[in-house]
Amino acid sequence: MFGAGGGTSSYKEAEETDLIILWGSNARETHPIFFHHVLRGVRNGARLIAVDPRRTSSAEWADVWMGIDVGSDIALANAMAREIIHNDLIDGEFIAHSTTGYDEFARCVEAYTLERAEAETGVPAKAIQEVALAYARAKTGMICWTLGITEHHNAVDNVVALINLALLTGKVGRYGCGLNPLRGQNNVQGGGDMGAIPARMPGFQDLEDPQVHEKFSRAWDGAQFPHKKGWHLSEMFEAMDHGDLHALYIVGENPARSEADQTRAVRLLGGLDHLVVQDILLTQTAEMAHVVLPAAAGWAESEGTVTNSERRVQRVRRALEPAAGARDDIAIICEIARRLGADWGQPTAEQVWDECRRLSPMHAGMKYSRLDELGGIQWPCPDESHPGTPFLHGRLWANPVEGSLAPFHAVEHDPPVDKLTEEFPIRLTTGRRLDSFNTGVQTGEYTSPLRRGEAVMVSPEDGERLGIADGERVRASSRRGSVEVEARYDRSLRPGLAFMTLHFPDQVSTNVLTIDATDPKSGTAEFKASAIRLDKIREAART
């Protein structure tokens, strides 16, 4: 939408804005550092709006909780946009000066009346109107989202719907305004920045641009590398399924437990001719590998940089020597290159970073000494006199030229792929808890007074209706498989909604239940919207 894949705002702005919308984000538990900045903003007078199917611990702090039905985000965003337009609260000058596609967008959202939105989302029409007008009237406002928006079969369209709201009201490219994807894991932003995206080189430079390709080839002594984008993760699994991908090199990922439709994922990984896993712990995926390369822990045993959700590049320093037999990721990769016939020597992390700075204009001014001196720098930082960029896209308020305008995109409501039926009447959504991380490989090694193991969380109303006692073991089934799991009552859930995490795959393989319906634009699976049923174990055994 804007030409760079990063949050537009700094954390400090969350403390000084007038309104914050957390959309599909339980930031208190999944992004607790960022949530401290949100709380400072609340104490400074900001209104906090939580859009989430669950009444999460983040929503407890909100002025308004919009308890949306899973997968109806576009209907809600479009209805808010319609209210803003009908109440003449758009920023017409900004739209005319800095955007394209407004007329088509306005025609699209006209069909999303408050009444339709209430029916599609489950959110009362009055609440939709209140939040729409509050966001439009606020002098400054931010929209922040996480996997609750992106882990859907129409992930990109969900994000676009939120961006449309900011464009409609001129809330991007100014201090205290913006659009902020809170990254799901440590250094996800840095991975994207460094080119861990099929179509991008470091600095989000287009792989398929001949000039970009030539620049990198020249810097790498004429090395030849693909001109066309590669596969993203979901496409890799499709290629395995079709017999087009036979070998896989996995670095720091556990897809045998993290992929949707886990049964299919394990089958495909097990059918590879050659699987190499490079990781700090022996994950379930590593146990399937033909070769395991033990790596140093990047956060404590390596030198380098990390980039957070506000685009701040910070130094990482080695505090401990790696365990015996483990090597730094750079050392492993360079040794593999040497054995493949390319001698890259033994570069330090700083030398690798300096090469990146030479090739990525947005990192050019970030030498190590400046990162140390300034406590990190936010990209873009084009030269060594530049202080970094707290917020992005200020150009939209200056003199944007054709090609740099921000486009509106008309998007339509498209409900979850896994339909609710009499056989599978409960909507399962997945997420994380404060005490654990992803598939539990790292956090499972430690104890926590908050940790209770895996359970399917259900509303008390559903538990009583199904005759399932709080704490009773049940069989949870979807169209893809079933697991036995403890059921626990959770008053943050509305009837018809269940919640599970992916933290304890050795106890409960949650991703046996989830669906691998993927967004064609991003490749993200619909982890947030599966259809399940819950059966008492004794009754399930009889059938």
Side-chain angles (χ1 to χ4, degrees):
M1 292 288 285
F2 296 106
T8 68
S9 313
S10 62
Y11 290 170
K12 183 69 174 175
E13 291 172 71
E15 302 176 18
E16 299 176 356
T17 191
D18 295 324
L19 184 144
I20 303 168
I21 301 180
L22 288 179
W23 201 309
S25 172
N26 183 16
R28 184 178 182 272
E29 296 194 34
T30 59
H31 298 85
I33 301 302
F34 174 72
F35 197 70
H36 284 301
H37 297 278
V38 171
L39 290 180
R40 290 192 187 105
V42 170
R43 294 187 184 108
N44 288 335
R47 293 194 70 190
L48 177 61
I49 312 297
V51 182
D52 202 296
R54 299 185 296 141
R55 190 180 177 92
T56 64
S57 57
S58 301
E60 295 290 343
W61 289 89
D63 294 271
V64 178
W65 168 55
M66 304 178 81
I68 189 173
D69 288 345
V70 175
S72 61
D73 304 275
I74 291 173
L76 177 59
N78 282 357
M80 289 174 58
R82 183 181 185 277
E83 279 302 296
I84 292 168
I85 293 170
H86 277 245
N87 283 275
D88 198 25
L89 293 172
I90 66 172
D91 191 324
E93 184 176 348
F94 176 81
I95 291 169
H97 179 258
S98 304
T99 73
T100 61
Y102 170 74
D103 291 340
E104 181 185 355
F105 166 72
R107 285 193 296 271
C108 170
V109 301
E110 184 59 30
Y112 289 84
T113 63
L114 290 175
E115 293 73 24
R116 176 185 174 183
E118 180 173 325
E120 298 280 12
T121 69
V123 179
K126 185 176 180 180
I128 298 173
Q129 182 181 56
E130 176 189 346
V131 171
L133 300 186
Y135 177 69
R137 288 169 175 157
K139 183 177 180 182
T140 55
M142 301 168 60
I143 301 177
C144 306
W145 67 88
T146 51
L147 304 180
I149 282 291
T150 56
E151 287 187 339
H152 290 273
H153 75 282
N154 53 350
V156 170
D157 286 352
N158 283 344
V159 173
V160 166
L162 304 188
I163 293 173
N164 287 335
L165 290 174
L167 296 181
L168 194 62
T169 57
K171 288 187 172 61
V172 65
R174 296 191 286 123
Y175 187 86
C177 297
L179 296 149
N180 299 288
L182 308 177
R183 298 310 192 183
Q185 296 129 40
N186 182 42
N187 206 32
V188 164
Q189 183 67 56
D193 295 352
M194 293 301 103
I197 300 174
R200 301 293 174 182
M201 301 298 285
F204 297 103
Q205 297 172 88
D206 187 353
L207 168 70
E208 298 182 346
D209 183 329
Q211 292 183 330
V212 170
H213 198 279
E214 172 61 24
K215 178 176 72 170
F216 279 88
S217 180
R218 189 167 55 249
W220 294 341
D221 298 325
Q224 298 301 306
F225 57 94
H227 287 77
K228 299 295 183 182
K229 71 176 183 177
W231 291 319
H232 55 58
L233 185 59
S234 297
E235 289 170 329
M236 291 182 198
F237 275 93
E238 286 296 316
M240 289 182 227
D241 210 1
H242 298 148
D244 297 326
L245 179 62
H246 303 278
L248 199 60
Y249 178 12
I250 297 174
V251 182
E253 188 74 20
N254 188 21
R257 292 295 181 268
S258 62
E259 278 298 285
D261 195 350
Q262 180 182 309
T263 304
R264 173 179 180 266
V266 169
R267 173 176 60 81
L268 293 174
L269 290 169
L272 290 167
D273 294 341
H274 192 56
L275 175 60
V276 180
V277 173
Q278 180 173 319
D279 215 315
I280 65 175
L281 293 168
L282 191 67
T283 66
Q284 294 89 346
T285 307
E287 290 176 345
M288 301 177 64
H290 300 93
V291 178
V292 176
L293 302 172
W299 56 273
E301 299 172 349
S302 296
E303 294 287 328
T305 61
V306 64
T307 310
N308 69 4
S309 292
E310 64 168 354
R311 299 170 284 102
R312 185 177 298 278
V313 179
Q314 300 170 86
R315 282 289 312 282
V316 176
R317 298 167 183 80
R318 174 176 286 180
L320 300 168
E321 290 297 318
R327 300 194 202 181
D328 186 271
D329 288 306
I330 292 174
I332 294 172
I333 293 168
C334 288
E335 178 61 17
I336 290 175
R338 187 184 69 80
R339 297 192 186 199
L340 291 172
D343 189 355
W344 296 348
Q346 296 178 320
T348 65
E350 185 172 9
Q351 288 170 329
V352 173
W353 179 247
D354 283 341
E355 178 182 314
C356 174
R357 293 198 300 119
R358 288 193 297 273
L359 293 169
S360 171
M362 74 185 204
H363 294 99
M366 297 185 182
K367 64 180 181 180
Y368 266 23
S369 60
R370 296 194 73 222
L371 293 176
D372 291 339
E373 176 188 353
L374 299 176
I377 301 173
Q378 291 170 272
W379 61 254
C381 177
D383 59 62
E384 293 181 14
S385 65
H386 196 283
T389 308
F391 65 90
L392 297 180
H393 314 311
R395 61 177 166 74
L396 294 173
W397 294 90
N399 293 301
V401 296
E402 188 172 350
S404 70
L405 302 178
F408 282 93
H409 283 285
V411 289
E412 300 283 2
H413 170 59
D414 187 14
V417 172
D418 213 11
K419 305 298 184 186
L420 297 179
T421 62
E422 288 186 9
E423 185 180 6
F424 299 102
I426 296 175
R427 178 63 71 199
L428 172 67
T429 193
T430 61
R432 292 187 290 192
R433 298 195 189 112
L434 176 63
D435 61 89
S436 299
F437 182 73
N438 281 10
T439 59
V441 174
Q442 297 178 68
T443 51
E445 298 291 315
Y446 304 91
T447 59
S448 167
L450 301 176
R451 191 172 300 148
R452 296 179 59 191
E454 192 52 79
V456 56
M457 314 303 289
V458 298
S459 71
E461 295 89 342
D462 279 341
E464 293 166 6
R465 178 176 58 82
L466 296 169
I468 296 170
D470 189 11
E472 180 179 352
R473 288 191 67 78
V474 299
R475 181 174 297 280
S477 304
S478 74
R479 293 177 173 91
R480 290 154 295 284
S482 62
V483 298
E484 290 190 10
V485 60
E486 181 181 315
R488 294 196 205 121
Y489 290 0
D490 183 347
R491 296 191 179 279
S492 76
L493 297 170
R494 294 169 293 135
L497 181 65
F499 176 78
M500 294 177 71
T501 79
L502 316 177
H503 299 323
F504 308 99
D506 290 338
Q507 297 176 17
V508 180
S509 296
T510 301
N511 273 335
V512 166
L513 304 175
T514 54
I515 186 171
D516 64 349
T518 56
D519 175 35
K521 298 173 184 175
S522 68
T524 305
E526 193 157 64
F527 290 93
K528 298 302 184 191
S530 300
I532 66 167
R533 70 171 184 269
L534 299 176
D535 296 307
K536 296 172 74 70
I537 295 292
R538 292 186 301 278
E539 293 176 359
R542 280 201 300 270
T543 59

